Amino acid sequence: MGLGIVAIIAGVYDWNRQTIHHPKVVYQPEVAPIENTAAGHEKVDMSPLPEAKGRVNFLALGIDNEGDEPGRADSIIVVSANLDSHQVSVISIPRDTRVSLSGVGLTKITHVNAVGEVRGGVHEGTMESVKAVGDLLGININYYAKVNFSGFQKVVDALGGVQVNLPNAVNDASSNLHLSAGAHYLSGEEALVLAQARHDLPGGDFDRQQNQFYILRGLAGQLLKPSTISDLPQLLSVMREDLVDTNMSISEMVMLGLEFKGIDKETIKYYQLPGQGISAPDPLVGACVYYYEPNQEGIKKIVQEVLTR
């Protein structure tokens, strides 16, 4: 049975390798420069940067909805993987980042998915988020996956939990989460609490973004272990069932898993967007709210570094 599974995987690998190395572009940002909305800032050319063949940009969305209600994007993460150099970069986008949404104006990027879902359903919410992220970073988006809280727990539990290495202790009284610095093996429920905790953390949402990265890195390390390869198709099938929306097939997931099997998770490079906190009106809320105003010049430098890895 084991040899049969390996043979199937090898067939999938040969069949899809060229497709994965020349991935379809789901969304390509507009060529026009984007104006930084912060007072006193000039326009910065955020035209799409040239990307190497075989680069895959993947958008992961974590949604806070319950049932069939439209959900905000509580977690927005871009994973950029170079299939030639096998370098992987992760960019976290703060949920309060101010972006322009068609028909609304300037609002928080967390609202984009919910507005899209109200307008046209689950997939419309995903595609609005894909567009917002692509325009913000000036990159092409190839793949996307959206998961809600219950789906996230199931994904972690399907892998038997996740080992998370924390450089600093996490103490969040609001969620009753107390973890020392070091390695922790978490269940799906525990990982979700860590992914959401922010109120009592010194860096607030920025610490939460970093903790989400540690969880993602831990999941990647477990999923891509050489010893897991024979179980990869079954694991990915279970995980895909709990995704709210994705354009990745099982064979594409397996292919990417094979490309990066055995990767040293410590080499995955992590970035947070540069910017500053401001207060400005939100047309959806009808009041002045806190925003994270992105620094477009800083973003472009980060993206250039990512795309040359």
Side-chain angles (χ1 to χ4, degrees), residues 44-258:
V44 176
D45 185 2
M46 288 297 290
S47 302
L49 294 165
E51 298 177 27
K53 291 181 180 179
R55 175 170 295 281
V56 175
N57 292 323
F58 177 88
L59 174 62
L61 298 170
I63 308 302
D64 67 358
N65 70 318
E66 294 183 3
D68 296 327
E69 295 180 0
R72 297 169 301 175
D74 202 51
S75 174
I76 307 167
I77 297 173
V78 172
V79 179
S80 186
N82 188 324
L83 281 77
D84 297 319
S85 67
H86 289 91
Q87 297 295 314
V88 178
S89 303
V90 174
I91 304 174
S92 285
I93 299 175
R95 64 196 301 274
D96 295 317
T97 300
R98 190 159 71 147
V99 296
S100 180
L101 176 59
S102 175
V104 173
L106 294 169
T107 188
K108 296 186 179 186
I109 199 169
T110 186
H111 295 152
V112 172
N113 182 79
V115 171
E117 290 192 359
V118 169
R119 288 173 174 174
V122 170
H123 184 63
E124 183 66 21
T126 305
M127 296 314 296
E128 286 285 2
S129 297
V130 167
K131 179 180 184 303
V133 171
D135 286 341
L136 176 66
L137 300 182
I139 63 172
N140 299 333
I141 302 294
N142 307 104
Y143 295 110
Y144 55 80
K146 182 162 67 177
V147 64
N148 57 23
F149 291 159
S150 62
F152 172 79
Q153 289 188 53
K154 291 180 182 178
V155 166
V156 174
D157 288 334
L159 288 171
V162 59
Q163 181 173 307
V164 179
N165 294 313
L166 299 173
N168 301 300
V170 175
N171 290 290
D172 187 76
S174 299
S175 60
N176 195 30
L177 178 68
H178 302 282
L179 297 173
S180 62
H184 297 270
Y185 209 85
L186 306 178
S187 67
E189 182 178 1
E190 293 167 332
L192 178 59
V193 173
L194 176 60
Q196 292 179 294
R198 66 188 172 100
H199 293 291
D200 295 326
L201 303 186
D205 189 52
F206 296 98
D207 282 354
R208 176 173 67 166
Q209 292 172 50
Q210 199 153 25
N211 290 335
Q212 290 172 350
F213 165 69
Y214 296 141
I215 295 170
L216 182 65
R217 186 174 65 179
L219 289 172
Q222 287 173 228
L223 189 63
L224 300 177
K225 289 189 299 187
S227 60
T228 308
I229 293 303
S230 62
D231 298 323
L232 199 57
Q234 181 180 358
L235 286 170
L236 291 173
S237 295
V238 172
M239 293 170 63
R240 194 181 190 283
E241 289 177 359
D242 290 307
L243 295 177
V244 175
D245 190 21
T246 185
N247 66 334
M248 294 194 74
S249 66
I250 294 297
S251 62
E252 287 171 319
M253 291 180 180
V254 171
M255 173 60 200
L256 284 172
L258 288 170

